[in-house]
């Protein structure tokens, strides 16, 4: 499968725990984006990364959230000390370059915080 | 913040009927994308429109970009049950920081 791969598809955490979501972009794509989707709110941009660099993190909360895209391995979105309001679907997308507006999305990781 | 308003939010029609949904903004976009999302899945890109007034066709789907590049419409001819889904419009910003509308939920009844 050459598409964007996300795991886990479903994750349940208790308040205060950490959540790690992983994303492998499409082959040949070096640009990765994370979006969050809440019911009734639509998709919201969180962060844009290239290999080893965060390009734009203006949509990501300043506290508890971090993202990385190392030279080797998948991109990781990390949420520390999760709260119930973090429950959402987190989508990763990749593109071959910036500015095209054409993103290829994974199937998402659905986080539930108890 | 660039806001995209999609209407109607929900639309239910009989198979074989036609429908049109809309995406409107007060901002000008250099390009606009339409995606379709099914339950439990990620959005899938359908089309990108770039030029004001542009019309693109994808089988029974017709996409139009407004002359002023602030709005777009999606028209489905002779809808089929497979057209059921959430249709999302998105406009960018630089760095593919797309602003998404909340979507048009379309249900086609057999």
């Amino acid at each position: 499968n050459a598409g964007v791969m996300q795991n886990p598809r479903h994750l349940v955490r208790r308040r205060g725990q950490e959540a790690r979501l992983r994303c492998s972009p499409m082959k040949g794509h070096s640009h990765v984006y994370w979006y969050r989707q809440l019911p009734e709110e639509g998709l919201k941009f969180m962060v844009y990364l290239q290999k080893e660099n965060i390009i734009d993190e203006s949509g990501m909360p300043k506290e508890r959230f971090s993202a990385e895209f190392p030279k080797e391995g998948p991109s990781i979105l990390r949420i520390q000390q999760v709260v119930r309001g973090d429950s959402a679907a987190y989508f990763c997308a990749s593109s071959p370059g910036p500015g095209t507006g054409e993103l290829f999305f994974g199937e998402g990781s659905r986080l539930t915080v108890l | 913040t660039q806001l995209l308003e999609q209407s109607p939010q929900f639309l239910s029609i009989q198979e074989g009927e036609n429908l049109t949904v809309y995406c409107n903004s007060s901002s000008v976009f250099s390009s606009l994308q339409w995606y379709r999302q099914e339950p439990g899945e990620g959005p899938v890109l359908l089309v990108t429109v770039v030029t004001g007034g542009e019309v693109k066709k994808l089988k029974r789907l017709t996409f139009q970009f407004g002359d002023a590049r602030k709005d777009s419409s999606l028209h489905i001819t002779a809808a089929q049950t497979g057209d059921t889904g959430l249709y999302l419009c998105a406009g960018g910003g630089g760095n593919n920081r797309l602003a998404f509308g909340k979507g048009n939920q379309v249900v086609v009844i057999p």
Side-chain angles (χ1 to χ4, degrees):
Chain A
N1 186 343
V4 177
M5 303 299 293
Q6 289 189 248
N7 68 82
R9 291 291 307 275
H10 299 275
L11 183 63
V12 179
R13 285 287 179 265
R14 295 190 181 279
R15 281 179 296 171
Q17 292 184 318
E18 179 179 287
R20 283 192 181 220
L21 310 178
R22 289 175 289 278
C23 169
S24 295
M26 282 184 73
K27 189 175 181 180
H29 288 187
S30 59
H31 302 257
V32 166
Y33 311 80
W34 286 93
Y35 282 77
R36 178 165 62 178
Q37 188 174 40
L38 287 163
E40 310 302 323
E41 287 194 17
L43 280 159
K44 302 291 185 188
F45 169 83
M46 297 181 74
V47 62
Y48 162 38
L49 310 103
Q50 293 181 28
K51 284 285 187 182
E52 301 185 276
N53 287 303
I54 297 175
I55 307 301
D56 182 350
E57 56 181 347
S58 56
M60 196 158 65
K62 297 275 188 286
E63 297 181 357
R64 302 189 298 107
F65 285 73
S66 62
E68 63 177 11
F69 189 15
K71 186 176 180 181
E72 301 291 338
S75 175
I76 295 175
L77 179 67
R78 181 184 179 202
I79 311 172
Q80 295 178 287
Q81 300 174 335
V82 296
V83 300
R84 288 215 174 111
D86 297 332
S87 295
Y90 292 84
F91 288 94
C92 171
S94 72
S95 73
T100 65
E102 298 181 342
L103 301 181
F104 296 85
F105 282 86
E107 294 184 321
S109 292
R110 280 149 188 83
L111 172 65
T112 301
V113 180
L114 301 177
Chain B
T1 303
Q2 297 172 310
L3 292 177
L4 287 160
E5 300 285 339
Q6 292 191 246
S7 61
Q9 289 186 22
F10 182 84
L11 183 60
S12 176
I13 62 169
Q14 292 290 133
E15 195 170 26
E17 293 182 339
N18 302 332
L19 68 98
T20 302
V21 294
Y22 302 91
C23 172
N24 295 292
S25 176
S26 57
S27 301
V28 175
F29 290 97
S30 57
S31 68
L32 197 143
Q33 289 76 38
W34 283 91
Y35 291 80
R36 182 167 71 199
Q37 184 178 23
E38 300 191 19
E41 305 290 332
V44 176
L45 179 66
L46 296 175
V47 77
T48 297
V49 286
V50 178
T51 306
E54 181 177 6
V55 176
K56 278 193 174 179
K57 291 194 174 187
L58 185 65
K59 295 184 181 178
R60 292 174 296 98
L61 278 60
T62 301
F63 303 86
Q64 184 160 8
F65 201 12
D67 291 339
R69 290 185 290 130
K70 292 182 178 182
D71 53 83
S72 181
S73 63
L74 159 59
H75 181 79
I76 301 179
T77 303
Q80 299 177 358
T81 55
D83 296 325
T84 292
L86 180 67
Y87 290 85
L88 298 164
C89 68
N95 288 332
N96 280 339
R97 183 186 169 172
L98 298 182
F100 280 83
K102 293 183 181 179
N104 308 105
Q105 179 63 58
V106 171
V107 175
V108 181
I109 302 168

